[in-house]
Amino acid sequence: MNHVLSAELLKLRKRPATWILVGVWLTLALTFAYVFPYLSYRTGGSTGPDAGTAPAALLAGMLPANLVPTVLGGYPLFGGALVLILGALMTGSEYGYGTLKTLLTQRPRRLEVLGGTLTALVLVVLALGIANFALAAGASSLIAATESAPGGFPPAVDLLQGLATGWLILGMWGLLGALAGIAFRGTALAVGLGLVWALVLENLIRGVARLLPVVDTLQRALPGVNAGSLVAALGTGGRPAPGVTAVVGGTQAAVVLGCYAVGFVLLAGVLLARRDVT
């Protein structure tokens, strides 16, 4: 599997779409977590997406002490959606380009190919999370220095917990995208339906859950709801974030997300092993 992993990592480095998605995600993460809130803070909380939030709360959310909840606030929805696209591109494009059949004639077994692909995906997701935390740490330190505010970071244990939480959330969404790419044997339908589910259907179910108890029970098993609950369990940093709501407890959310991740891998393996690749 090492050869497959090396090849997948090389493809990811050479593929422009990878760098576009990474650039878009890091830009959006910094913009919505620090740039817009800081502009709103400088205008007294009267402009931007955070209009109406007290300036003190805006500043507190941007300081290094709240690095973990501020960074993770964008993971359940927007970050997950972008990583879902990456996962679908990694598996679905092999069908679109017709390269999967060629690859399987070069000795690697199907599950070996899948293992290398998914390992490359989760490693890239980890690297993306580290880069996100590093850039956010720089931005929060700069804001703290500019505003003469406390610049102390959370304990190392909290930072590692935040990084692991983000890895679990983004990894789950990425594996869902990879599964969709295999299930639909392409990228277009996998990306389209994946984004509809992550950004539209789950939000619709959350809205209906307030009215119908049976739907409220259903939403507690949804991946996005559990991702938001896991982030909420670590705190919000004083600022609300889209999709971050404590619907279930943090432990339950982590277990559910882990089960989803394992289930996506197993189902992808079954589909790739049993179906024709053409």
Side-chain angles (χ1 to χ4, degrees):
M1 191 178 75
N2 291 335
H3 297 295
V4 178
L5 175 60
S6 299
E8 289 295 334
L9 291 175
L10 177 62
K11 286 193 295 184
L12 283 172
R13 291 199 304 269
K14 297 292 186 179
R15 178 175 287 168
T18 302
W19 297 105
I20 292 173
L21 289 172
V22 169
V24 168
W25 164 236
L26 294 179
T27 300
L28 289 177
L30 289 179
T31 299
F32 285 97
Y34 293 100
V35 176
F36 285 164
Y38 185 71
L39 293 176
S40 183
Y41 166 75
R42 297 297 294 178
T43 59
S46 60
T47 61
D50 295 292
T53 305
L58 288 172
L59 179 60
M62 294 182 288
L63 294 180
N66 283 315
L67 178 67
V68 172
T70 299
V71 170
L72 294 181
Y75 279 35
L77 288 182
F78 303 113
L82 290 173
V83 174
L84 184 150
I85 295 174
L86 179 62
L89 288 175
M90 288 183 64
T91 56
S93 61
E94 300 291 351
Y95 292 91
Y97 294 138
T99 53
L100 181 59
K101 182 164 57 175
T102 303
L103 174 62
L104 294 176
T105 62
Q106 307 300 313
R107 292 184 181 179
R109 297 178 180 272
R110 295 190 181 197
L111 294 183
E112 184 180 354
V113 171
L114 178 65
T117 301
L118 298 185
T119 301
L121 174 61
V122 296
L123 289 178
V124 169
V125 168
L126 177 60
L128 178 60
I130 294 173
N132 192 4
F133 268 85
L135 289 176
S140 62
S141 297
L142 179 61
I143 292 174
T146 301
E147 301 299 328
S148 300
F153 285 95
V157 174
D158 292 345
L159 292 174
L160 291 176
Q161 184 182 28
L163 182 61
T165 298
W167 192 21
L168 176 59
I169 293 172
L170 295 184
M172 182 274 299
W173 284 118
L175 292 172
L176 174 58
L179 169 61
I182 294 173
F184 297 112
R185 303 182 187 183
T187 57
L189 190 57
V191 170
L193 292 181
L195 293 181
V196 168
W197 173 262
L199 301 179
V200 179
L201 291 181
E202 284 217 12
N203 286 324
L204 180 61
I205 293 174
R206 289 192 190 100
V208 177
R210 303 172 184 174
L211 305 174
L212 299 175
V214 65
V215 180
D216 179 61
T217 302
L218 171 65
Q219 75 160 342
R220 296 173 183 271
L222 299 179
V225 171
N226 282 274
S229 297
L230 183 56
V231 173
L234 300 181
T236 60
R239 290 168 47 209
V244 179
T245 307
V247 178
V248 299
T251 301
Q252 176 181 334
V255 171
V256 171
L257 292 180
C259 291
Y260 269 119
V262 173
F264 293 153
V265 172
L266 294 177
L267 185 54
V270 170
L271 291 177
L272 184 62
R274 293 184 173 273
R275 294 195 312 176
D276 187 21
V277 299
T278 57

